[in-house]
Amino acid sequence: MNAYVGTPTSRIDGRAKVTGAAKYAGEFSADGLVHGFVVEATIPRGRIVRLDATEALKVAGVLEVLTHAHRPPLADKDEAWKDEVAPEGLPFRPLYDDMIKFNGQPIALVVAEEWETAKFAATLVRIDYEQDGFATDLEAERGRASEMDKPHKPRGDAKAALAAAALRHEADYLVPTEHHNPMELYATTTVWEGGGKLTVYDKTQGVQNVQKFLCAVFDKKPEEIRVLSPYVGGAFGSGLRPQYQVVLATLAALALKRSVRVVLTRQQMYGLGYRPMTIEHVALGARPDGTLDAISHEAIAVTSRYEDFSRNDTGWAEQLYKSSNSHFSHKLVDLDVSTPCDMRAPGAASGVCALECAMDELAVALKLDPIELRLKCYSDRDQSEGLPYTSKQLRQCYARGGEAFGWARRNPAPRSMREGKELVGWGMATGVWEALQMPVAVRIVLTANGHAEVSCAASDIGTGTYTIVAQVAADALGLPIENISVRLADSTLPQAPVEGGSWMAASSAHAVLGAAEEIRRELVHLAKAIPGSPLADLDAAAVTLVDGMIAGNGKSGAAVSIPDAMRHSKLERIEKEKLNQFAEDKSHARNTHSAVFAEVKIDEELGVIRVTRVVSAVAAGRILNTKTGRSQIMGGVVWGIGMALHEETVMDHRFGRIMNANIAEYHIPVNADIRDIDVIFVDEPDDRINRLGIKGLGEIGIVGVPAAIANAVYHATGKRIRRFPITLDKLLD
Amino acid sequence: MNNFQYSRAGDVADAIRLLAADPGAKLIAGGTNLIDLMKENVERPSRLIDISRLPLRDIEETADGGLRIGALVPNSDLAYHPLINQRYPLLASAILAGASAQLRNMASVGGNLMQRTRCPYFYDTATPCNKRRPGTGCSALDGLNRNHAILGTSKSCIATNPSDMSVALAALGALVHIAGPMGARSVALTDFHRLPDDKPNLDTILGRSEIITAIELPPHSFPRNYSYLKIRDRLSYAFALVSVAAAIELEGNAISEARLALGGVAHKPWRSMEAEAALRGQAATPDHFGHAADLLLQGATPRAHNGFKIALARRAVVRALIQAASATPQSQAHKKIA
Ligand SMILES: Cc1cc2nc3c(=O)[nH]c(=O)nc-3n(C[C@H](O)[C@H](O)[C@H](O)COP(=O)(O)OP(=O)(O)OC[C@H]3O[C@@H](n4cnc5c(N)ncnc54)[C@H](O)[C@@H]3O)c2cc1C
Ligand code: SF4
């Protein structure tokens, strides 16, 4: 039955990707395609008083310069601009009016026959601003922070318990603003099909979200706009909401009645969403034996002036650790910047980083081994609602990860382990994420030659959705994977939400099962209808699809081939579509967990840090594909190393401008920074969460990694760095 | 990016003629720096004069036993050239510490010497910068200056020169050969780059219509006791926070000749004759190395965010000299610091 699920199946789209056959949004073409280049605001707040495109329009090859004062109509109701995942507030509308809300805001689109011409002409657009006072510095504006939704209700009296605790640890941890920097640039090719119809190739994590959004913004009927995003070169959350280039490309296509492509530059992508800078204040109170009496976690994060973006930074402690008193709060400071957005493990990557550094500091104060402290506070229930988990093998993560890493050989004293000129540090941390699942519909078309096409509007943002959909379909239909073709990311295909939150693996896999079951029933029916059918007397439930046959379970050997069954009824194809909804289960918590172990080697005099080993032991239910799954976790670990040591969007608050808006100066790890990464999938059978026991892997890989490294840096040097990233200057005396 | 004319120079004289004829013209070699700056509208040449096909790609031995390296030799070819590897491994090491393999394949010797600062304000036309637009002010003085200079700065500019190769060339005492409308001349590499004083728009002494034709390495090559130690924010593919080119000659444990140059700390590779003189005749000990480092760093003044560079540079100098003295130079392939 499971020829493919749970195996290290290679990506079915791998060949297309490495040979260049896979086409991305900015690579589609059309007759008469023209190109748009974005002109951006260079002030953080104010008004455009004059925008003069005369010189730009004189350039040969320039067709149009669209501005707030010169463009086709855009919806004026806020509701129209609210996409499926928009936060509270009034969404940003590109080229809508003369107001400047953030540096890098698009204020004009120059459209020309050639991209280079548009880019050149963009430099000739003259803009005069009336600049208003502005603020972009979270730390300076911290006093203005105002309470957002509370992730969890308080328990007991954390303040009093903290004051009374035998041992206390309390500190601020600062996670800077970070940008996603997916390899693929943001791009849209809007193809003018005539008759008011548009086909939009967009870099997005949700084609149906973009489709509905465009219909609302441009007052179009659903059948007039089709959105496709067959391949996505990484997005990491930055593509959950429609980005402004899709509006601009479509606006220009409508203005010119031509096909238009808009590709942002790397620099312009720093004007999109980002992981918000957050001050994480954590206070822990404990008894000498490590029992926690109080946990308090307050996050103060950046948002824009026009939307309130917040994620769950602070609630994780309640799930991870037993404590009779707890208090959590999330505050926002609105600044003259664009709205933050989801970025891999939003909330958790930052919040758990602070929590797990704080736990390490507490362990040091208590003279307890960091794992021992975590086991002491281990909770088999999610305490916020007092619920048991569908499954939770975090203990196994600690045990197996620790064993693989050699944790038992750790000398707990800081600066106690060294190798030549390098100090050696070992640190660990816990990771946690949710196991979400969403309604998804899948269509399967089975043809009499034993081939099936599986289709769904879901995107594959590089995570391997194409492949797992094919694996599950192959197993459920009893066909070789070569006989399965998968179509994704077309808004005309069956319903799917945006791809994010680690929910797509479980959601799409079960949708495939649902549609495959419909196909099976139909095939059984057809097989039984054949005169003298060997399956005639069998109960439909006792018939499975296996090896291209419709076969009775067990050893009876009764079977009919798919072609025989279909051709007997003169059917060339069977088409079934099914929407899968997960039964609601409010009596259990659903989470993935990990234990991350890191080794750093730090040159004692020079502060140069090398992360020489990371072991990540993950409990995430059944792993559908151990190869793509491992890649997910490795990618998360690499990113966690970047979060710990490299990543930081640097802003000059005198100008309210990002000063390292390019990937030469915005550092992410390069090959030299990455050494051994060992991924362990801990067995976590879970027959409660869903039929296949799947939890999803997209986010869990990064959570905990930055803290494990920061804790290792402390263990190596005796220095506690609470402002990320940990650059070498912070380690020099 | 602006619109520009494109010409291909037929020979060096042609390049000079084309430069002289158009005050807005710029030479282009590998393009790895110039094109980036054009995309940012920082450089807006009226004309690009493509010199990439000029016959300036030879590496030849000179009569006195040195080497003459054509201005268009790609950085990679230079780093892997057998004569450089055998005789001037310090230079090979410095080149391999810079950029990425792909960039080094494109980058030329002349372009590397002429590459411009990575000061973020210099790159951002929406901010004031004296180097980009004289008289507008220096945003880095009281702004983000973690990567800026601690030596030889001025009130107008605190930018650093980003080149790794130049640091090794400075230590080795290289000459820069220049051709121009008035004929050929050569200057010591240490005199080629300027300090910013009140004209930070000028990085070098190169005249408007001049072209670098070659660099020349003197016979003294320090093949054994050398090290190029680069300290940066990630283990590869990042500009130096501080780098050190160290080269010595030993008689027993006594230093008979010493060269030291710092990168990432000034508007030019930073050398001090005094520091080098202080090493000569001394035993190769960390104490003497520290003393030389102090002399080299004399006058270093921090700004708000770059004070760490002073201590870091001192330690890096000592370490590089220890590596040099023990003939265990920093490997650019293995990121662990020896
Ligand atoms: C992402 C990135 C990272 C980098 N990291 C490093 C690093 O770590 N260390 C480092 O040292 N460098 C680094 N570099 C810089 C790289 O070394 C330079 O871009 C390269 O050496 C420039 O050479 P080029 O031939 O491409 O110059 P071009 O871009 O062609 O020209 C640069 C300048 O030199 C002038 N020029 C070129 N040739 C001559 C000549 N013969 N005579 C007179 N003027 C001339 C041009 O007019 C232009 O002004 C990096 C570059 C990038 C893009
Ligand atoms: S340091 Fe020099 S390059 Fe940087 S802003 Fe100041 S003047 Fe410009």
Side-chain angles (χ1 to χ4, degrees):
Chain A
M1 170 73 186
N2 282 338
Y4 299 101
V5 166
T7 66
T9 303
S10 291
R11 287 170 187 270
I12 62 167
D13 52 342
R15 191 186 167 82
K17 283 189 165 174
V18 299
T19 55
K23 268 193 176 186
Y24 293 80
E27 297 179 322
F28 287 89
S29 200
D31 284 344
L33 180 77
V34 295
H35 301 265
F37 193 85
V38 177
V39 181
E40 301 152 83
T42 54
I43 63 162
R45 182 178 187 168
R47 217 167 56 78
I48 301 167
V49 289
R50 195 178 67 102
L51 197 156
D52 180 1
T54 322
E55 291 305 311
L57 284 163
K58 281 184 194 155
V59 175
V62 170
L63 303 165
E64 184 62 284
V65 178
L66 297 172
T67 69
H68 66 278
H70 176 69
R71 57 159 172 81
L74 288 166
D76 54 11
K77 291 218 172 50
D78 280 321
E79 279 318 301
W81 293 89
K82 288 212 172 188
D83 69 278
E84 198 173 299
V85 286
E88 279 295 298
L90 311 176
F92 170 66
R93 308 166 176 195
L95 306 197
Y96 192 76
D97 56 24
D98 59 357
M99 303 303 293
I100 303 297
K101 297 185 156 96
F102 56 92
N103 239 314
Q105 174 180 326
I107 52 176
L109 185 78
V110 180
V111 189
E113 300 279 357
E114 302 288 342
W115 187 79
E116 289 78 4
T117 311
K119 186 168 161 69
F120 161 59
T123 66
L124 304 178
V125 177
R126 295 282 156 261
I127 304 123
D128 293 333
Y129 302 102
E130 193 178 278
Q131 177 152 344
D132 289 341
F134 63 90
T136 55
D137 186 353
L138 175 70
E139 289 182 284
E141 302 289 317
R142 180 179 182 163
R144 285 206 292 117
S146 63
E147 188 82 23
M148 271 296 300
D149 45 44
K150 299 188 183 66
H152 295 285
K153 50 185 181 290
R155 244 168 346 108
D157 184 346
K159 214 169 177 179
L162 267 175
L167 270 148
R168 246 189 324 275
H169 165 69
E170 183 164 1
D172 273 353
Y173 300 83
L174 186 124
V175 178
T177 294
E178 297 165 355
H179 277 79
H180 311 71
N181 283 306
M183 188 154 36
E184 182 197 12
L185 299 170
Y186 268 85
T188 303
T189 306
T190 298
V191 178
W192 176 260
E193 306 281 11
K197 288 204 170 181
L198 300 171
T199 303
V200 180
Y201 296 94
D202 185 36
K203 176 188 171 77
T204 174
Q205 294 174 241
V207 285
Q208 291 180 332
N209 186 28
V210 171
Q211 194 262 355
K212 281 182 221 131
F213 172 80
L214 290 178
C215 287
V217 164
F218 293 103
D219 192 21
K220 288 272 179 192
K221 296 194 199 69
E223 58 276 16
E224 289 176 318
I225 295 187
R226 175 179 177 199
V227 180
L228 299 99
S229 186
Y231 293 98
V232 178
F236 314 111
S238 62
L240 288 170
R241 301 184 67 185
Q243 296 292 5
Y244 69 69
Q245 91 286 338
V246 75
V247 176
L248 297 188
T250 306
L251 188 70
L254 292 170
L256 294 163
K257 301 196 176 2
R258 288 180 75 162
S259 300
V260 179
R261 180 190 296 159
V262 176
V263 182
L264 299 189
T265 63
R266 177 64 60 186
Q267 284 78 349
Q268 287 171 339
M269 281 169 50
Y270 286 78
L272 307 176
Y274 51 90
R275 193 192 295 287
M277 182 190 263
T278 308
I279 302 165
E280 309 270 0
H281 182 85
V282 183
L284 304 171
R287 296 179 205 165
D289 70 351
T291 307
L292 277 177
D293 281 331
I295 302 175
S296 160
H297 188 169
E298 177 185 85
I300 303 178
V302 175
T303 192
S304 66
R305 298 266 189 203
Y306 50 93
E307 284 173 319
D308 285 344
F309 176 88
S310 74
R311 284 294 177 264
N312 175 18
D313 283 53
T314 61
W316 304 100
E318 188 108 63
Q319 296 201 308
L320 283 174
Y321 302 124
K322 260 190 292 206
S323 165
S324 31
N325 302 283
S326 63
H327 169 78
F328 303 101
S329 91
H330 197 102
K331 294 180 176 169
L332 293 178
V333 179
D334 57 339
L335 297 171
D336 296 293
V337 292
S338 62
T339 307
C341 73
D342 287 307
M343 179 158 151
R344 205 168 198 171
S350 315
V352 175
C353 173
L355 173 68
E356 288 297 288
C357 287
M359 285 294 280
D360 197 67
E361 299 206 45
L362 184 67
V364 171
L366 290 165
K367 300 195 174 54
L368 274 183
D369 179 84
I371 298 183
E372 211 182 308
L373 173 63
R374 285 162 174 90
L375 291 176
K376 185 93 201 168
C377 314
Y378 195 91
S379 175
D380 283 312
R381 297 178 93 82
D382 170 353
Q383 300 167 88
S384 48
E385 306 295 339
L387 299 176
Y389 290 93
T390 57
S391 60
K392 177 175 175 179
Q393 292 296 335
L394 176 56
R395 270 182 215 280
Q396 275 301 311
C397 296
Y398 292 136
R400 292 211 34 216
E403 188 183 281
F405 187 80
W407 186 256
R409 296 194 305 277
R410 178 178 184 260
N411 180 337
R415 306 178 63 82
S416 62
M417 294 165 54
R418 57 174 73 224
E419 254 180 46
K421 296 187 176 71
E422 288 181 317
L423 296 164
V424 178
W426 288 4
M428 60 81 55
T430 312
V432 56
W433 185 252
E434 304 158 282
L436 301 166
Q437 36 198 26
M438 306 286 251
V440 168
V442 155
R443 181 188 313 140
I444 298 180
V445 176
L446 178 71
T447 39
N449 59 3
H451 280 71
E453 185 189 77
V454 186
S455 53
C456 171
S459 297
D460 183 338
I461 58 174
T463 45
T465 309
Y466 277 108
T467 307
I468 57 164
V469 162
Q471 287 176 272
V472 175
D475 280 353
L477 298 171
L479 295 174
I481 201 164
E482 298 72 36
N483 287 17
I484 310 288
S485 56
V486 182
R487 279 179 63 207
L488 296 178
D490 175 340
S491 61
T492 61
L493 295 177
Q495 152 193 344
V498 293
E499 165 129 346
S502 300
W503 58 60
M504 198 50 92
S507 309
S508 59
H510 288 88
V512 171
L513 285 189
E517 172 58 14
E518 303 271 302
I519 298 265
R520 186 191 68 90
R521 271 200 226 133
E522 173 89 19
L523 285 175
V524 174
H525 176 74
L526 296 177
K528 285 186 167 214
I530 299 175
S533 168
L535 302 176
D537 299 333
L538 287 179
D539 185 39
V543 179
T544 349
L545 304 181
V546 57
D547 293 337
M549 305 294 282
I550 308 155
N553 290 348
K555 296 203 170 75
S556 72
V560 174
S561 80
I562 290 175
D564 286 349
M566 289 177 70
R567 285 183 182 138
H568 175 76
S569 299
K570 307 214 164 22
L571 276 179
E572 272 310 308
R573 63 202 295 278
I574 303 175
E575 178 176 330
K576 295 288 177 191
E577 181 174 330
K578 182 101 169 88
L579 171 68
N580 179 64
Q581 312 252 31
F582 291 90
E584 212 176 337
D585 174 6
K586 288 207 163 155
S587 59
H588 287 86
R590 288 174 286 270
N591 288 85
T592 53
H593 293 92
S594 68
V596 185
F597 297 81
E599 174 181 83
V600 298
K601 295 190 177 168
I602 301 176
D603 189 284
E604 187 174 9
E605 289 161 18
L606 302 169
V608 174
I609 307 169
R610 302 187 302 132
V611 180
T612 44
R613 282 195 299 140
V614 176
V615 173
S616 175
V618 178
R622 175 188 290 195
I623 308 307
L624 274 170
N625 183 326
T626 46
K627 189 174 184 180
T628 55
R630 188 171 300 275
S631 296
Q632 275 299 303
I633 301 301
M634 285 200 351
V637 169
V638 170
W639 202 335
I641 292 172
M643 205 172 160
L645 304 183
H646 307 123
E647 292 202 43
E648 178 176 19
T649 304
V650 182
M651 194 177 253
D652 185 327
H653 299 298
R654 297 169 305 167
F655 307 113
R657 284 182 73 75
I658 294 170
M659 296 312 300
N660 60 342
N662 63 74
I663 45 175
E665 322 294 331
Y666 181 104
H667 286 167
I668 56 173
V670 294
N671 282 324
D673 295 295
I674 304 303
R675 298 283 291 269
D676 294 347
I677 299 176
D678 186 6
V679 179
I680 298 168
F681 288 120
V682 167
D683 268 344
E684 192 177 59
D686 190 335
D687 51 16
R688 196 179 289 276
I689 190 158
N690 51 44
R691 202 170 133 197
L692 294 176
I694 305 171
K695 288 184 167 180
L697 279 177
E699 337 279 320
I700 186 67
I702 187 175
V703 187
V705 180
I709 292 167
N711 296 340
V713 168
Y714 169 78
H715 181 235
T717 63
K719 293 196 177 92
R720 195 53 86 166
I721 311 301
R722 303 192 185 98
R723 285 181 83 91
F724 288 85
I726 305 171
T727 47
L728 62 88
D729 48 317
K730 296 175 185 172
L731 295 178
L732 299 175
D733 291 317
Chain B
M1 191 181 280
N2 63 315
N3 261 336
F4 55 86
Q5 304 293 314
Y6 172 89
S7 324
R8 187 177 292 164
D11 54 27
V12 170
D14 190 28
I16 295 168
R17 248 191 327 273
L18 286 161
L19 274 175
D22 183 347
K26 283 233 130 201
L27 302 177
I28 182 162
T32 59
N33 188 225
L34 183 57
I35 300 286
D36 272 3
L37 290 165
M38 287 170 68
K39 287 187 194 164
E40 303 283 353
N41 288 306
V42 174
E43 300 272 17
R44 300 174 60 81
S46 52
R47 175 182 299 275
L48 285 186
I49 303 166
D50 184 354
I51 56 169
S52 62
R53 293 168 209 223
L54 296 189
L56 302 173
R57 289 181 176 253
D58 292 334
I59 298 177
E60 311 158 317
E61 300 201 56
T62 57
D64 68 355
L67 280 186
R68 189 186 161 101
I69 301 159
L72 288 166
V73 172
N75 286 185
S76 321
D77 290 14
L78 186 55
Y80 293 113
H81 196 281
L83 285 176
I84 299 291
N85 269 300
Q86 286 153 23
R87 287 169 49 187
Y88 303 92
L90 174 64
L91 177 59
S93 184
I95 293 171
L96 294 179
S100 65
Q102 295 88 336
L103 284 159
R104 294 192 297 265
N105 286 341
M106 287 302 291
S108 66
V109 164
N112 194 317
L113 290 186
M114 294 295 289
Q115 65 173 297
R116 309 212 63 188
T117 184
R118 309 303 292 200
C119 171
Y121 302 101
F122 176 70
Y123 267 79
D124 183 356
T125 55
T127 60
C129 166
N130 285 328
K131 187 182 276 298
R132 182 168 29 76
R133 285 188 68 188
T136 53
C138 170
S139 297
L141 273 181
D142 299 312
L144 301 166
N145 49 35
R146 180 173 176 271
N147 291 340
H148 286 73
I150 49 173
L151 286 160
T153 58
S154 76
K155 290 196 302 293
S156 340
C157 179
I158 56 170
T160 59
N161 180 304
S163 168
D164 287 298
M165 185 184 82
S166 297
V167 183
L169 290 176
L172 290 167
L175 283 180
V176 183
H177 291 291
I178 297 169
M182 317 295 282
R185 58 171 179 147
S186 39
V187 298
L189 185 120
T190 45
D191 297 327
F192 181 74
H193 296 102
R194 295 178 65 258
L195 286 181
D197 56 58
D198 58 353
K199 291 194 190 60
N201 54 316
L202 303 177
D203 295 348
T204 69
I205 54 88
L206 194 74
R208 247 221 38 78
S209 307
E210 288 185 317
I211 170 172
I212 302 167
T213 52
I215 50 176
E216 187 178 326
L217 294 170
H220 225 118
S221 69
F222 304 92
R224 197 181 128 77
N225 295 107
Y226 72 93
S227 188
Y228 189 76
L229 179 59
K230 179 176 179 180
I231 312 293
R232 47 191 146 178
D233 276 329
R234 61 183 169 194
L235 296 176
S236 183
Y237 202 25
F239 290 94
L241 294 166
V242 164
S243 69
V244 186
I248 56 179
E249 279 172 359
L250 291 172
E251 280 164 20
N253 192 37
I255 300 168
S256 55
E257 176 62 4
R259 302 289 177 77
L260 267 183
L262 285 176
V265 294
H267 204 251
K268 59 188 286 186
W270 196 257
R271 251 185 94 173
S272 149
M273 299 306 139
E274 207 187 330
E276 292 168 17
L279 284 171
R280 282 185 206 110
Q282 301 292 336
T285 64
D287 281 353
H288 291 129
F289 298 158
H291 179 59
D294 290 336
L295 291 172
L296 184 60
L297 286 159
Q298 243 172 41
T301 26
R303 305 297 306 179
H305 309 123
N306 64 357
F308 74 95
K309 282 193 178 183
I310 300 178
L312 181 62
R314 188 185 190 279
R315 294 175 191 190
V317 168
V318 173
R319 181 70 68 82
L321 283 167
I322 292 173
Q323 292 177 330
S326 55
T328 52
Q330 179 58 41
S331 154
Q332 301 306 338
H334 302 108
K335 303 300 169 181
K336 177 175 174 181
I337 296 180

